[in-house]
Amino acid sequence: MSRPALPQAIGEIAQVARMNENGEHALADLAAPDAASLFILSFRHRDELLDAASRGGWRALAARRAAGVERRFIASGASLAIVDGRGAFDEAIGAIRMLADPVEANAAAMLVLLSRNDVTRLNDVFAAGATHFLASPFGEPELLQALRFAARHAQRVGSGAISRPALSQEEVLSWSYGRGGLELSAALRTRFGLGEGAISARRAYRLLPAGDRAAARAARARLRADYGSTAFLHAMPGGERVVHHLAVGDGGQVTGLIESLDVGNPLPLRRDALTGLPDAAAARRWLSSQLGEGARPGLLLIGLDRLTTVNTLYGRAAGDALLQAASRRIDSAARDVSRHAWLGRLAGTEFIVGLPHATSEQLSDAADRIAHAVGRRYAGAPELAATIGGAIAQDSEDVGTLLRRASAALSEARDVPGHAILLCDSAATGLIERNQQLAEGLRKAMATGQIDVLFQPQVRIADGGVDGVEALARWHHPEFGELGAQALFGAAERAELVESLSELVQRRALQAAAAWPDSLAGLRLSVNVTAADLARTDFASRMLVAIDASGFPRERLTLEVTEEGLIEDLAAAASALAALRQGGCRVAVDDFGTGYSSLAYLKALPLDYLKLDRRLSQDIAGSPRDRIVVRGVIDMARSLGLGVVAEGVETEEQLGLLAAEGCTLYQGFLFSGPVTSEELAKLAL
């Protein structure tokens, strides 16, 4: 999928507009003034504008939210600000008012971008303090021309000698990435306590707080999707909030520039606008004061799960209201353990709870209470769940080390099935070290043949015959023995190898199945597809090429989309899966019923099967209510013309009840666990 265009297909317009009357490219004539800097605030089209401005030679910083916009503009040293009000006029007017004084005081200019329908409100734009405007539809050349006109205005007002706060070269936090790795500026090496020399991309990724790595991965994906530049938010050592601006140069070199969001902020306590809680910087100050007084505070990091899905299904307003309700419950539960408990919001769906002078028992009690409180049903809203990692300060430990231990515990807790609590005691520390060792050894394992696949049969309930198999990854580790897909892909996540591992497992499964004996020639093969796979613009075409290269028939292959990672762009995923179905494959949604994304997948994705999550299959032997839920899912699937495969079937009672409700296929240890191709041939006789 190509980079999204600006409204009114700026890419198409620019393709024509780039040629002047002599047939020569005209964009060169629209280049920015030397050393011209630009600040962009766009609520809907930040990355597209940043990309266009960068191509025009502007050194640009960009924001998507108006919070702190005055400070960010001043700190950028820009002579020109863009406020993009297309599709967000009311938010833009507020931002224009906030920027008006700093723009005037710094002899700068402010260009406002408007939708055609909002041109009638130009008086409001003028009164708020804008100096220039441009109304859509417009192309890239028109945008760059408007910037040139606005820049001339700023130059004249400032008499060509505008002086603004700027960082010296010794203070710049920047890096560049090439074949030798990441070359960091001196200031950035100092921030992270690193010595001279380049570092690997993997090590740089691990320097980020665990809660910020998803944003970094998303930014990297945008660059790979042909964006020229993008940005993401994260925290620095010491709690400082920054925006990380990324750009790709003409030679493919990636550069990064880090912009502080805390510049010039005199407030002793900063609060999150949505919840009113102290923010990440305040959390670090609280911890620093505790450690400075010789205390050994306990720390909990709480990640709220399913909230992204709530935003997708019910809208941002519903998600925000649910987040606020959850924050109140976390606060109440923590104060039930200690009336001196301290609560803050780090970012997104992650909260921090501090307990002064905490014992292990208190920390565990607080974690249990918080998990229970968050998981209780909300009036008129879906349920949430919490994953929690924690640690107690050790002697002579600083804030950064304590936070890293708690973040590592939270990261490990997220790898546990369901929703887990992991406190970083000696046992947890051993688990974290083991998982880190797995991540470090995975690339070698992939290259040396330690990764293999086994096959779990999918059985017809009617006659007990094997209908197909699911390919499951296994790691034959020389020290830890055989490791399953969960540990394997958890290591891949830490090592940033998910896409490579998924492709390897799919290829191994296809090769093994293509070599099956004639006795298995009728079996279907199911392989798992991750959200990261579907985020790749060329996934469908690459997958079809891999299938054909293996010799396995397309019509016998099913691609199982797992709910382990939420698919952020369902439209793109649906397009990829539709192409695969058109190519002859079938599609299933795996672990159906484990999360709110199930229904979103059901509505958006082209499917042939539903695979009931093992908990639904096993709960059917529980209460009448459990059986009604399973019956409803099976009836819904049949109404949509979908087949149903029940996973995790372990008892004859479960199988009988599933058969009574109309389920036709199952897999589980009642028939067989995962087996080799040779063992499968014996089972299928």
Side-chain angles (χ1 to χ4, degrees), residues 28 58 132 157 188 345 380 450 531 535 605 661:
W58 290 87
H132 298 72
V157 171
L188 194 55
R345 184 186 180 197
Q450 295 179 23
L605 302 181
E661 299 300 344

Side-chain angles (χ1 to χ4, degrees), residues 339-358:
R339 62 188 180 90
H340 299 295
W342 192 95
L343 174 64
R345 184 186 180 197
L346 293 181
T349 60
E350 195 165 305
F351 293 82
I352 180 171
V353 168
L355 299 177
H357 307 286

Side-chain angles (χ1 to χ4, degrees), residues 505-515 525 543 546-547 550 552 557:
V505 172
Q506 291 159 2
R507 186 171 67 249
R508 292 276 173 85
L510 287 166
Q511 291 170 346
L525 170 68
M543 190 70 199
I547 298 167
S550 73
F552 191 80
L557 183 68

Side-chain angles (χ1 to χ4, degrees), residues 446-533:
M446 293 170 61
T448 57
Q450 295 179 23
I451 310 302
D452 200 0
V453 292
L454 298 177
F455 303 97
Q456 185 166 35
Q458 295 173 341
V459 184
R460 294 186 299 271
I461 293 179
D463 61 11
V466 178
D467 185 78
V469 296
E470 179 184 0
L472 299 171
R474 289 294 183 270
W475 183 354
H476 303 293
H477 196 281
E479 180 179 349
F480 301 118
E482 185 175 285
L483 302 176
Q486 183 179 322
L488 180 52
F489 277 88
E493 178 74 20
R494 299 180 191 92
E496 297 186 78
L497 292 172
V498 171
E499 294 175 17
S500 299
L501 176 62
S502 182
E503 187 174 357
L504 173 66
V505 172
Q506 291 159 2
R507 186 171 67 249
R508 292 276 173 85
L510 287 166
Q511 291 170 346
W516 281 344
D518 292 342
S519 60
L520 302 179
L523 296 188
R524 297 193 59 79
L525 170 68
S526 295
V527 297
N528 288 297
V529 174
T530 68
D533 289 330

